Amino acid sequence: GALQYARHSPVIKAQLARTILFVGAASGIVALLPVLARDRLHLDADGYGLLLGSLGAGAIVGAFTSERLRRRWSMNRVGMVSAAAYALGTLVTAESSSTVLTCVALGFAGAGWAVVGNVNLTAIQTAIPPWVRARAMALYLLVFQGAMALGSLLWGTVATHAGIEGALLASVAVLLVTVAIMRVVPARI
């Protein structure tokens, strides 16, 4: 089935690795946002909702601009630029003490998240033959959710020792490494 196919498919292995790297690194914002909202920005539940809404609004913008970006650039370049936008949003979020600036940064991050997800998902779907597509997509979702959970654990642990800013800056460093790896291991469409 899907596991055997994925084990022998270099394209699927590469796309799953790209997904693990990006989602694992990018999960820092999602994991640490409640603490950042409370401790640095001094926001209550409504303020935290505003931050999450900014991330979500950015994701919507990213989803609507994804097709236009793919008409201009290669799928891989779109993914790299979007991962870099996510890294920039994370960097600004790590350093900002302004709610407005943090919301704008989270909007950029949300747009980057949506577009990178779209690139990885499209690359996997187009590389999989129809007879195994549903099972391979289930594997992709398992990898995605696992990377999110493990990344959140990692960044929470790093924040315990290095603080929220340190953890988010480390996340930015891993995101930039991920962009470099995306260049070397491109999305195959």
Side-chain angles (χ1 to χ4, degrees):
L3 290 176
Q4 186 176 14
Y5 182 84
R7 186 173 57 222
H8 296 290
S9 170
V11 173
I12 300 303
K13 287 193 290 191
Q15 291 311 126
L16 291 177
R18 286 168 53 105
T19 299
I20 289 168
L21 284 170
F22 178 76
V23 173
S27 63
I29 281 182
V30 177
L32 300 174
L33 197 57
V35 180
L36 185 131
R38 183 191 68 207
D39 294 351
R40 177 174 306 150
L41 300 176
H42 309 291
L43 298 173
D44 58 10
D46 290 337
Y48 173 62
L50 175 66
L51 297 179
L52 279 180
S54 298
L55 200 58
I60 291 169
V61 170
F64 279 111
T65 60
S66 180
E67 183 61 34
R68 188 174 335 160
L69 293 172
R70 289 192 317 203
R71 282 193 299 253
R72 292 187 133 151
W73 296 328
S74 72
M75 182 71 81
N76 197 58
R77 178 166 294 219
V78 169
M80 290 170 48
V81 168
S82 299
Y86 193 94
L88 177 62
T90 303
L91 175 65
V92 173
T93 298
E95 299 296 329
S96 174
S97 58
S98 160
T99 300
V100 172
L101 182 58
T102 301
C103 286
V104 171
L106 289 171
F108 272 96
W113 175 272
V115 176
V116 171
N118 180 285
V119 166
N120 286 342
L121 190 59
T122 301
I124 287 175
Q125 285 182 330
T126 58
I128 299 170
W131 63 270
V132 73
R133 189 168 291 143
R135 287 169 286 179
M137 292 313 302
L139 177 62
Y140 166 80
L141 291 174
L142 178 69
V143 166
F144 181 97
Q145 294 298 327
M148 183 69 123
L150 292 174
S152 295
L153 175 66
L154 170 69
W155 300 121
T157 302
V158 172
T160 299
H161 300 290
I164 296 169
E165 181 180 0
L168 289 175
L169 292 175
S171 170
V172 169
V174 176
L175 284 163
L176 293 176
V177 168
T178 301
V179 171
I181 290 171
M182 288 174 157
R183 183 173 174 84
V184 174
V185 182
R188 304 215 190 275
I189 310 294

